[in-house]
Amino acid sequence: MESNPIFHRTRLRLAAWYTLVMGGILGLSSLGVYSVVAHTYYETIDQGLQSVANALHKSIEPAWRQPGQLQRLNKEFYLELCVAQTNCLPKKTSINKSITEAANPVNYYIRLLDRSGKLFASGGMEFNKLPIASTLHNWQILTDYSGTRYREITLPLYTQNQVSGYLQVARSITDLDQHLTYLRLTLVLGLPISMIFVGLSSWWLAGRAMQPVYLSYQQMQQFTADAAHEFRTPLAAMYSTIEAAIKLQQEPKANNGILDVLKRQNRRLSQLVGDLLLLTKIDQKQLTGEYQLCCLNDIISDLIEELAFLAVETQVNLSKQVQVSEKLYVMGNEDQLYRLISNLIVNAIQATSSGGKVTVFWEKNELYAIIKVQDTGIGIAPEHQQRIFDRFYRVDRDAYGGLRLRSRTSGGSGLGLAIAIAIAQAHKGNIHVQSQPGLGSTFTVRLPLSP
């Protein structure tokens, strides 16, 4: 399967599309997992923080604004509060007993604010690092001067059914940020690794899926080769019989030329059978053992001489233009290279009206020998340019009037350009066409130079 470029490209496309689709699905799934995990973490932290804040609020609100009550609460809950800014106890908040049962001992802080939002009392972390909120919201995330993030809840304190202050309780979410960082890192690193495995499995699955199709294709190839081979013998016998019948007839015009018609059709069928056998050999890589060093200069020069009669017959000026001084050598089958260039030149001659020109150029670059067959014919419509190399594809004369070799009226089999591109690809080369209707066409062949 890998030796056939059509199946190889199809398998590559299938694997690439499968990998892209699975990559999109995995990416969206990873984003969903991250969102769910992050939301769950936040909910867990909020629930713990809500529990701590409710416990403190329940105890602090009755004693709010009553002398000595905050100190009592400090002893009861082991809270270390700074009631006066100049007389502060140690800078850490220890929340023990019933409050520690609601949350793990992390870096909490507590603040009591008056009605205007001015700090009244605080405890927990160092005062010069406390994040200051410009507004009083129920829930918010603050960042201190060292970059540590805190999740904070604000609860109002009431005195005689009026808001007289606020209780703020917060905890650091460094542990949450670390967990989410690890999760992001896992997803970011895991996705490319997963894509590699998906790509490899896609390549394998595409090969397994295409194996029956490839086997059917091989069977059709073999059937074509066997059928074409079997046709050669009866066709040859028919041709000989027709030749003998023509010689034996007493008058040349007898039978109204029926034998001549049969002879032409027999020749046409024989050529078609030969073309099918050639394509089958190329597809099955049966020509590689016949490769040798070939000189393109000699092949093209011989073709120019041999096809000069066809150009004169159609009143077309056939010429060559050498753009490189040294000879160009490639590794290949000389007969097939001859057939490749011959098909292109014949097509160009037949595509050109009387008085037109067909010019064959050859040059090279660092890696390739470049052969261009340029004509001044009617040109090829854009919608046909991608399909003219398909087997048995024919272009109507209105679309490409000069392509007589592949037109229905000329009796062409539709295999000329298909054979040309098959030979080029078998020699690790390619053919490219540039054409504009009314301005002619240029077929460019690139073949790798012999080292």
Side-chain angles (χ1 to χ4, degrees), residues 10 15 77 89 198 225 253 263 279 319 363 379 381 440:
T10 304
F77 290 100
L89 295 174
V198 168
K253 298 298 181 179
K263 181 179 178 181
L279 284 172
S319 62
E363 56 187 5

Side-chain angles (χ1 to χ4, degrees), residues 41-50 151 171 173 176:
Y41 276 153
Y42 276 112
E43 280 194 344
T44 303
I45 288 176
D46 288 350
Q47 290 174 0
L49 190 59
Q50 181 80 54
R151 183 65 168 167
R171 59 153 288 179
I173 53 176
L176 170 63

